[in-house]
Amino acid sequence: MKRTDDCGRLRKTDIGRTATLMGWVQTRRDHGGLIFIDLRDREGITQVVFNPTLSPDIHKQAKDLRSEDVIAVSGKVEARPEGTVNTHLSTGKVELIADGLEILNPAKTPPFPIEDNVLVSESLRLKYRYLDLRRPRMLANLKRRHQILRVVRNFLDGYGFIEIETPYLTKSTPEGARDYLVPSRVNPGQFYALPQSPQLFKQILMVAGMERYYQIARCFRDEDLRADRQPEFTQIDFELSFVDRDEILSLMEAMLTEVFQMVKGVSLPTPFPRLSYQEAMERYGSDKPDLRFGLEIHDVSSLVAGSSFQVFQEALSRKGVVKAMALEGKATLSRKELDELTEAAKTLGAKGLAWVKVSPQGFESPIVKFLGEPLLQKISGALTAKAGDLLLFVADQLKTAREVMGGLRVQSAERFGWIPADQFRFAWVTDFPLVEYDETEQRYVAMHHPFTSPMDEDLPLLESEPRRVRAKAYDLVLNGSEIGGGSIRIHRRDVQSRMFKLLGIEPAEAQEKFGFLLEALEYGAPPHGGIAFGLDRLVMILSGAESIRDVIAFPKTQKAICLLSDAPSHVTERQLKELHIKTDVVE
RNA sequence: GGGGCCGUAGUUCAGCUGGUUAGAACGCCGGCCUGUCACGCCGGAGGUCACGGGUUCGAGCCCCGCCGGCCCCGCCA
């Protein structure tokens, strides 16, 4: 038998002709006489009817059909009798009256039903991933992923980008995440590293005059996993020469606009809002603010400066701040709920949480007596709070106060259902600090990466006041999730050397680790910059998936194990010996 | 490295204060059924209560350990 149609294709216009379908048995409804089979393939479901009067032999064979058997079935396409049309199926007006059946491969009973909306443990799904992927939602996610990449490739082709592959076996570099290492057999004791990103190679490609590069690049980072983090993940990676930041941002906006139009039918308003890092931290307590809801954070330090509330005074005297936020209509929270909020604040790093209920009669709170009615009036005015709202206060060092408020902001929005569904709120966050001081390592570390260009006007401060130097770096945030980041790079050797020096990388080490880049910068490196998007997170948001695993065909568990293949695994002594590797693992 | 939730039939779960033979639904198997699409009806099989110890007259339940899955903090330039 030869397949003539897929299971999502047959329509009223096909009535009368013959067809051969191949696919998986979704369900069987055996009436003793008539047998109905829902036949499923990638494209859809078609009802097949086995009639004992018309084809007794075939009907007898169909008695044995079970879920997930792979079959070929041929017959005549007919209209369904009146009243039996299934409006849930695209093929629901017709059915195939079988006169031929071949069981291509009988299947064992699957360990879980191949349907959406059935709860199955994640470990079982991952072990039988090939069954899990048969579920319509998973198939749709992978199709969507493909569609996004197709739109991206098509768009970039139109803008003169060249897709170039860079090595997976590359060099371990300091800075950044932990590397995955690969031993070199022919160079005993030496290791390749799998790339955390194609960063250095794409910059070299700019020096090579490629001008516009992109790659759908797999990246590897040996760090702990999360719902939105896998040890290997995919970036849509770009690098361009002779452009400034704004050109990159608007090009990316154009690309994403096309993606959302094609994939979701959504018209994104452009340009996307832009916030400086400072502004994002100040208003939202996060460098990846979720703009789907308001709930902005306010600094009330100067307002409360004269109050007699010891906790505030103490924080302020230590050069700290007092941050406040108004939860609309939440003056009704119980003591228990307020305690939970306080607990959440403590988990986020606060020493405590002060609250004030705004009621028509005035203010209710253990700290009313310290702050006083007039001051509270001023504060609620500044927060545009009204009767029924709940005011929250955190007093601490600036960094902590921001982070705690930022965390409470997001948690509250989630908890109280203030996040609207089906919205896509983008924001560019720009003007990141170039470096931050790492207390544990007692040195400056690059906030983006060591190749990010400082802002020209801040360059003189590089040695004297590095904390104040801003970078030509930008992140793209979507619904509170960082989905992309990039920068204009350093393209001059002298600046790059100064940067390494700031980061405490000795010239000898810089030479050893990045010598090839430094040298390349001396051979006519054009000004260049780029960006990379996390494809998995983008697909995840566009699919409404709760985990990145739902948009990756073969993801790993939180312990970085592939339950399907059982990787990683032990290898033979001989393999280790060949690689000159000895382990200290005691079996 | 740390905090939290979970693990009972093929699956999803229930299982009281520790007490008789561990239940339900779906699925599976058999029978009946010619217009179903969550088909229906009748019957049946199916359990290492993740694993290992301990407490107890008695453990699915309590304690300790361990394995696994998930969420979070740290980490992720």
Side-chain angles (χ1 to χ4, degrees):
Chain A
M1 280 199 256
K2 193 161 177 154
R3 195 187 205 186
T4 61
D5 297 275
D6 64 58
C7 294
R9 220 200 73 83
L10 298 177
R11 295 289 185 277
K12 263 162 88 176
T13 48
D14 297 299
I15 288 167
R17 75 174 177 89
T18 58
T20 299
L21 306 178
M22 297 191 186
W24 289 260
V25 173
Q26 177 69 38
T27 51
R28 158 186 74 111
R29 292 178 294 280
D30 184 346
H31 286 229
L34 290 179
I35 297 173
F36 298 94
I37 295 288
D38 286 346
L39 191 64
R40 184 196 74 240
D41 67 12
R42 211 174 71 164
E43 307 302 331
I45 284 180
T46 302
Q47 174 164 284
V48 181
V49 185
F50 295 89
N51 189 319
T53 3
L54 299 177
S55 309
D57 293 350
I58 300 299
H59 175 266
K60 210 174 160 194
Q61 275 187 63
K63 283 258 171 206
D64 293 331
L65 292 177
R66 293 294 181 271
S67 286
E68 300 307 309
D69 285 347
V70 184
I71 63 171
V73 60
S74 55
K76 200 167 168 189
V77 182
E78 290 197 357
R80 291 201 189 190
E82 203 165 333
T84 65
V85 165
N86 187 339
T87 50
H88 298 111
L89 297 178
S90 63
T91 60
K93 285 180 177 156
V94 301
E95 58 195 8
L96 190 73
I97 311 297
D99 59 18
L101 171 67
E102 192 178 334
I103 299 177
L104 301 173
N105 203 350
K108 286 169 71 175
T109 303
F112 54 85
I114 312 300
E115 288 164 33
D116 285 338
N117 305 319
V118 288
L119 288 172
V120 188
S121 77
E122 184 117 9
S123 50
L124 199 67
R125 289 176 54 198
L126 292 175
K127 182 178 175 191
Y128 296 98
R129 190 58 160 181
Y130 44 89
L131 300 179
D132 191 36
L133 293 177
R134 285 184 195 168
R135 299 160 71 195
R137 182 171 304 150
M138 294 302 289
L139 173 63
N141 288 352
L142 293 185
K143 276 185 178 172
R144 192 175 295 107
R145 188 180 175 116
H146 161 71
Q147 195 189 0
I148 291 167
L149 285 179
R150 199 185 52 197
V151 173
V152 163
R153 282 202 162 97
N154 190 45
F155 176 91
L156 293 172
D157 191 51
Y159 277 87
F161 282 81
I162 306 174
E163 183 170 7
I164 305 172
E165 293 153 280
T166 54
Y168 280 172
L169 295 177
T170 179
K171 189 169 177 173
S172 180
T173 53
E175 309 284 305
R178 195 176 293 112
D179 283 324
Y180 275 101
L181 297 178
V182 180
S184 166
R185 177 182 54 84
V186 289
N187 300 282
Q190 296 188 42
F191 295 82
Y192 301 97
L194 301 179
Q196 296 176 28
S197 83
Q199 186 59 35
L200 294 170
F201 287 103
K202 67 176 178 171
Q203 288 192 239
I204 298 283
L205 286 171
M206 292 304 102
V207 182
M210 296 298 147
E211 300 202 16
R212 290 185 169 208
Y213 140 95
Y214 83 99
Q215 180 180 197
I216 313 301
R218 192 67 59 83
C219 303
F220 305 86
R221 293 177 192 178
D222 187 4
E223 298 292 348
D224 287 345
L225 289 79
R226 287 285 189 286
D228 63 352
R229 264 165 40 188
Q230 282 275 306
E232 53 180 309
F233 61 99
T234 305
Q235 286 191 343
I236 314 176
D237 191 46
F238 308 85
E239 197 75 8
L240 302 80
S241 295
F242 309 115
V243 291
D244 62 20
R245 182 192 75 181
D246 288 356
E247 287 172 83
I248 294 179
L249 301 197
S250 55
L251 184 71
M252 292 299 111
E253 286 176 0
M255 185 187 81
L256 287 165
T257 303
E258 187 145 323
V259 167
F260 275 68
Q261 188 66 59
M262 302 292 280
V263 175
K264 270 278 175 186
V266 168
S267 295
L268 298 177
T270 52
F272 299 163
R274 292 183 193 181
L275 295 93
S276 70
Y277 172 83
Q278 276 303 329
E279 194 182 354
M281 293 305 295
E282 193 61 25
R283 289 169 60 191
Y284 304 102
S286 168
D287 61 358
K288 41 178 182 163
D290 193 334
L291 300 187
R292 288 175 296 175
F293 54 96
L295 204 58
E296 290 194 24
I297 298 161
H298 298 262
D299 194 300
V300 294
S301 305
S302 56
L303 286 175
V304 301
S307 83
S308 60
F309 187 36
Q310 195 63 35
V311 174
F312 288 178
Q313 285 309 329
E314 206 175 296
L316 293 174
S317 71
R318 288 185 190 161
K319 293 184 178 168
V321 296
V322 180
K323 296 284 181 187
M325 186 165 70
L327 301 190
E328 198 179 340
K330 290 301 164 192
T332 52
L333 291 195
S334 67
R335 186 59 203 234
K336 182 167 169 266
E337 290 169 307
L338 291 167
D339 286 346
E340 282 168 12
L341 265 179
T342 308
E343 209 40 56
K346 284 182 178 166
T347 309
L348 290 163
K351 291 180 201 70
L353 180 72
W355 53 266
V356 173
K357 291 178 173 180
V358 187
S359 76
Q361 293 78 37
F363 300 95
E364 270 177 60
S365 162
I367 63 165
V368 170
K369 55 181 177 289
F370 300 115
L371 297 177
E373 193 85 11
L375 176 56
L376 282 167
Q377 287 291 355
K378 267 197 216 170
I379 293 172
S380 45
L383 301 190
T384 59
K386 54 188 187 313
D389 292 356
L390 177 72
L391 311 182
L392 299 180
F393 298 86
V394 168
D396 216 304
Q397 294 302 299
L398 178 63
K399 188 168 178 283
T400 308
R402 278 174 166 175
E403 285 170 3
V404 172
M405 281 311 231
L408 287 178
R409 176 179 178 268
V410 172
Q411 285 180 18
S412 303
E414 281 168 358
R415 184 162 166 183
F416 302 126
W418 290 336
I419 304 179
D422 290 325
Q423 275 205 18
F424 301 104
R425 298 296 296 270
F426 284 89
W428 289 108
V429 178
T430 63
D431 303 5
F432 280 83
L434 184 70
V435 294
E436 56 191 341
Y437 194 73
D438 186 317
E439 295 291 345
T440 357
E441 289 196 41
Q442 296 278 298
R443 67 177 186 98
Y444 289 102
V445 293
M447 198 147 172
H448 188 54
H449 59 52
F451 317 105
T452 298
S453 173
M455 289 210 171
D456 301 337
E457 58 268 40
D458 294 348
L459 203 49
L461 303 174
L462 198 59
E463 284 78 18
S464 54
E465 293 186 84
R467 279 169 224 247
R468 283 187 52 202
V469 176
R470 290 163 302 161
K472 293 181 185 171
Y474 32 82
D475 275 359
L476 184 63
V477 177
L478 170 54
N479 294 353
S481 179
E482 183 200 323
I483 62 158
S487 63
I488 300 297
R489 324 299 182 188
I490 297 167
H491 68 279
R492 290 174 48 128
R493 158 115 204 199
D494 56 331
V495 178
Q496 188 65 67
S497 295
R498 284 169 70 191
M499 181 69 181
F500 283 150
K501 197 174 169 203
L502 173 61
L503 299 177
I505 301 173
E506 297 298 320
E509 189 188 358
Q511 192 56 41
E512 187 204 327
K513 303 291 185 184
F514 308 111
F516 63 107
L517 177 71
L518 291 171
E519 193 174 15
L521 294 181
E522 294 181 303
Y523 283 95
H528 61 284
I531 189 166
F533 290 109
L535 174 68
D536 314 277
R537 285 184 189 173
L538 190 62
V539 183
M540 178 178 157
I541 293 170
L542 275 165
S543 301
E546 282 183 8
S547 156
I548 203 176
R549 296 184 298 278
D550 282 352
V551 299
I552 295 174
F554 303 106
K556 292 177 176 59
T557 67
Q558 198 162 50
K559 287 197 76 185
I561 286 166
C562 172
L563 292 180
L564 179 76
S565 66
D566 257 336
S569 60
H570 295 286
V571 296
T572 63
E573 273 305 313
R574 187 176 157 190
Q575 283 174 295
L576 289 178
K577 201 168 177 194
E578 208 164 42
L579 295 166
H580 302 90
I581 289 177
K582 286 195 181 85
T583 68
D584 61 2
V585 179
V586 182
E587 290 290 323

